[in-house]
Amino acid sequence: MKILAYLETLDGALKKTAFETITAALTLAKQSGGSVVGLVIGSADTTQAGVYGLADCLVAKHALLEKQSTSAFAETIAQAAKAENADVVILPASSTGKEIAPRLAVKLEAGLAPDTVALDASGGNLVATRPVFAGKARLNVKITTAKKVATIRPNVFTAKKADAAATVTNRDFAPTLADNHVKATVTSVSRNTGKLDVAEADIIVSGGRGLKGPENFHLVESLAGTLGAAVGASRAVVDAGWRPHGEQVGQTGKTVSPTLYIAAGISGAIQHLAGMSSSKVIVAINKDKDAPIFQIADYGIVGDAFEVLPKLTEKVKSVVHR
Amino acid sequence: MNILVGLSQVPDTTTKIVIGADNKAIDAKGVKYIMNPYDEFALEEALRLKEKNGGTVTAVTVGGDTAKEVLRTALALQVDKAIFIKADSADSFVIASNLAAVAQESKPDVILFGRQSIDYDSFQVAPMVAELLDMPSVTMTSKLEISGTSLTAERDIEGGKETVSASLPAVISAQKGLNEPRYPKLPDIMKAKSKPIEERAASATSARTEIVSMELPAAKGKGKIFSDSDGDISELVKLLHEEAKVI
């Protein structure tokens, strides 16, 4: 299979998801006996892609692409996929990738497997595994069309460095775009400065009703700060207005897969568990030893989050040096 | 303003998932179904747009027989028209094609969806419908302002927000925070029972994906449990550092 890997950039540099996309694409190419071509939109330094084994990369440039319109991005990727005769296009399941992929799939008359956690091309088909019901179940889906599109969940396909770094050859790609390809345009971006987002973080410290009030979340923030982690929250505390929607982890919030998830004062309602159970290591702190959160925890502390969090923060400080 | 809102029916968030006998879907026995929570924000926004600008709200559902219930809820909340398309498919392209067909006929100015249905979590339908109709789309919308034929929307992105502008007609998918959905009143629920729901045959679109199997995630082994003593917490931190190697 010929695979096109769409590599996301931010401020001229490849994002972490780009390296994960390269790893996923190279794995598929190896299974199916094919090759991978990367695609970046706009100016970016692609040198780092070589570290992860990518040797061939298209660089798409067009004045209309500067408007950051996902519809124009989708058209560009579709044209690149056709020009390269790609069988499969892999994108990250990021906020942008999730807007681009459905449009791209329609343009290529391709089946789309969204937000996948595993891809398998060994049997000649493309079978994708993806969590459904926010992770309460997994679906194995076969794409039945000739052309295929898949998005990969961030933080799941661990980027692997190549044994020997490749030298990236950049090839200019000039898509044919018209004003009509630019539909919705991004006029401004505001970033939560100094705050990590749960969707992207390697470590998350989440707080729940066990913290008893919004004024106590500094205990969660303090541990998160020590670990370089993002702050998460249960639905109960978001609904109560203690924390913003953006921090909610669970079936009606964000689904996350960090390396380490620490749940403090969260009992583990099924809809919360659904959103974080695919975390690699789970630590639960709860004073109720029968709380459901302990059933999926790798490590648990039975105790009051008030007392445990400050102690934990102190002990963590002695092993991490940030 | 002519508004179309797509609604889907999903298992309640407290549902414990049991895989069905065919290993391809959940066992529906004993499952309580609700309107997809994100669709509540889409429906509320549709009603508010109508209240502000006049016009009509049409609710459309593509799904199995029981999914019609969400249209009853929409009728109780005073949507003007309800359309039901029976197509029990998990393939997003099939669903998007059926929805686009309704839109092609009713020519809405705004099409609203929830950001994703919380069953198959695909996040595909809104941009697919937009692409099929050659319209702009904004997903994960937490704020929407429409003036004349132009819209400004705020959408959630990783670590922040993006402000997006586009022209109508457009497809919008709603994120939590867009509004505070209202509840239907009991007399309206009663009245909605006798309101008409227009049923349409599904289009002959072929699915582009096929479910091979559905499975439960691998069960975790029992974790290590500690007390809140200083010694235990030290031991846990040591394990996280040396055994799990995550800090």
Side-chain angles (χ1 to χ4, degrees):
Chain A
M1 287 174 179
K2 177 88 189 252
I3 296 144
L4 180 70
Y6 169 62
L7 312 180
E8 275 193 320
T9 63
L10 182 66
D11 304 330
L14 293 172
K15 290 181 81 168
K16 184 183 162 201
T17 57
F19 307 125
E20 295 173 352
T21 309
I22 292 170
T23 298
L26 285 171
T27 308
L28 279 185
K30 204 173 162 189
Q31 285 173 353
S32 63
S35 60
V36 176
V37 55
L39 170 68
V40 297
I41 291 180
S43 301
D45 181 0
T46 57
T47 320
Q48 273 294 101
V51 175
Y52 294 87
L54 185 78
D56 184 17
C57 192
L58 298 174
V59 179
K61 283 186 186 156
H62 195 290
L64 289 173
L65 291 171
E66 282 159 25
K67 299 188 182 229
Q68 304 294 315
S69 176
T70 50
S71 52
F73 279 29
E75 179 61 26
T76 301
I77 301 169
Q79 289 180 16
K82 285 176 187 162
E84 295 293 313
N85 208 10
D87 304 293
V88 182
V89 185
I90 311 280
L91 306 94
S94 60
S95 61
T96 312
K98 288 198 282 192
E99 274 205 350
I100 297 172
R103 286 187 181 269
L104 177 64
V106 171
K107 286 174 193 285
L108 294 175
E109 295 183 20
L112 165 59
D115 204 17
T116 60
V117 295
L119 293 168
D120 181 15
S122 55
N125 288 307
L126 183 60
V127 178
T129 304
R130 63 188 202 87
V132 289
F133 300 95
K136 290 180 201 168
R138 285 164 163 245
L139 207 55
N140 295 309
V141 188
K142 185 164 89 183
I143 300 179
T144 51
T145 47
K147 305 289 176 193
K148 305 161 207 306
V149 178
T151 61
I152 60 166
R153 177 174 290 194
N155 271 344
V156 174
F157 291 81
T158 312
K160 283 193 200 81
K161 290 186 178 168
D163 295 336
T167 307
V168 185
T169 306
N170 287 329
R171 289 188 283 139
D172 284 341
F173 179 72
T176 308
L177 296 176
D179 286 342
N180 182 45
H181 289 121
V182 176
K183 296 190 191 304
T185 59
V186 177
T187 53
S188 69
V189 176
S190 65
R191 304 217 169 260
N192 307 330
T193 42
K195 256 179 81 179
L196 262 170
D197 192 278
V198 288
E200 289 191 311
D202 275 334
I203 303 179
I204 297 169
V205 184
S206 281
R209 224 166 358 199
L211 285 154
K212 298 197 177 71
E215 67 281 8
N216 297 319
F217 257 75
H218 67 92
L219 298 173
V220 172
E221 282 163 350
S222 171
L223 178 58
T226 306
L227 288 165
V231 173
S234 70
R235 176 178 171 173
V237 303
V238 169
D239 284 353
W242 300 1
R243 302 300 294 181
H245 296 315
E247 290 181 3
Q248 187 184 324
V249 173
Q251 193 167 13
T252 53
K254 286 174 181 156
T255 302
V256 297
S257 317
T259 313
L260 172 62
Y261 188 92
I262 301 176
I266 293 176
S267 62
I270 193 160
Q271 86 104 27
H272 186 78
L273 299 184
M276 45 64 78
S277 57
S278 62
S279 306
K280 293 191 179 81
V281 173
I282 296 168
V283 175
I285 304 163
N286 203 289
K287 61 179 180 185
D288 173 11
K289 69 174 174 45
D290 297 320
I293 191 83
F294 286 121
Q295 287 172 14
I296 62 152
D298 300 280
Y299 303 97
I301 297 176
V302 180
D304 200 319
F306 282 113
E307 289 161 36
V308 174
L309 279 173
K311 284 192 210 172
L312 189 56
T313 306
E314 278 315 302
K315 309 271 185 215
V316 165
K317 272 183 189 157
S318 65
V319 296
V320 297
H321 307 281
R322 283 173 196 270
Chain B
M1 186 174 277
N2 188 356
I3 306 147
L4 182 66
V5 56
L7 304 173
S8 67
Q9 192 188 42
V10 297
D12 187 276
T13 53
T14 58
T15 305
K16 189 170 179 332
I17 298 295
V18 177
I19 307 290
D22 65 354
N23 279 324
K24 289 186 178 183
I26 63 163
D27 184 350
K29 208 166 82 187
V31 172
K32 186 185 161 217
Y33 285 90
I34 57 168
M35 183 186 292
N36 179 40
Y38 293 113
D39 295 353
E40 293 181 8
F41 303 112
L43 176 57
E44 176 64 33
E45 201 63 20
L47 296 168
R48 290 185 190 194
L49 285 174
K50 182 192 163 177
E51 283 159 5
K52 196 172 162 206
N53 303 296
T56 57
V57 176
T58 302
V60 55
T61 291
V62 181
D65 278 323
T66 62
K68 234 187 276 182
E69 285 166 35
V70 298
L71 290 174
R72 292 280 167 220
T73 308
L75 286 166
L77 287 167
Q78 314 295 336
V79 301
D80 301 283
K81 191 175 173 186
I83 300 173
F84 177 68
I85 299 169
K86 193 176 166 184
D88 211 351
S89 174
D91 187 87
S92 299
F93 183 70
V94 170
I95 294 166
S97 300
N98 275 289
L99 293 166
V102 172
Q104 257 146 5
E105 192 191 291
S106 64
K107 308 251 179 292
D109 302 294
V110 181
I111 305 176
L112 286 150
F113 297 108
R115 69 169 229 211
Q116 72 195 79
S117 69
I118 61 159
D119 50 2
Y120 288 100
D121 289 323
S122 82
F123 206 97
Q124 297 177 43
V125 168
M128 268 187 187
V129 168
E131 183 64 27
L132 289 166
L133 298 170
D134 200 26
M135 283 184 192
S137 58
V138 185
T139 59
M140 299 279 278
T141 305
S142 53
K143 198 172 163 189
L144 178 66
E145 275 166 33
I146 294 179
S147 121
T149 58
S150 58
L151 74 84
T152 307
E154 239 174 53
R155 66 184 293 259
D156 284 6
I157 58 167
E158 292 84 0
K161 283 188 188 299
E162 222 170 50
T163 307
V164 178
S165 67
S167 301
L168 300 187
V171 176
I172 301 290
S173 89
Q175 161 70 320
K176 186 172 183 172
L178 178 62
N179 51 44
E180 201 56 58
R182 68 194 75 181
Y183 293 102
K185 296 184 188 83
L186 189 61
D188 292 332
I189 293 173
M190 301 313 287
K191 270 184 242 161
K193 288 185 176 165
S194 57
K195 286 186 180 172
I197 292 177
E198 185 187 324
E199 294 198 27
R200 294 193 186 175
S203 68
T205 314
S206 306
R208 292 179 170 178
T209 55
E210 180 190 311
I211 294 174
V212 179
S213 59
M214 187 185 271
E215 61 202 24
L216 294 176
K220 275 210 160 182
K222 200 93 190 94
K224 294 180 182 166
I225 303 296
F226 299 88
S227 78
D228 58 0
S229 72
D230 276 356
D232 268 21
I233 294 175
S234 289
E235 177 64 16
L236 169 68
V237 171
K238 193 173 156 220
L239 286 172
L240 289 175
H241 189 56
E242 291 169 10
E243 181 185 74
K245 295 189 170 66
V246 289
I247 61 171

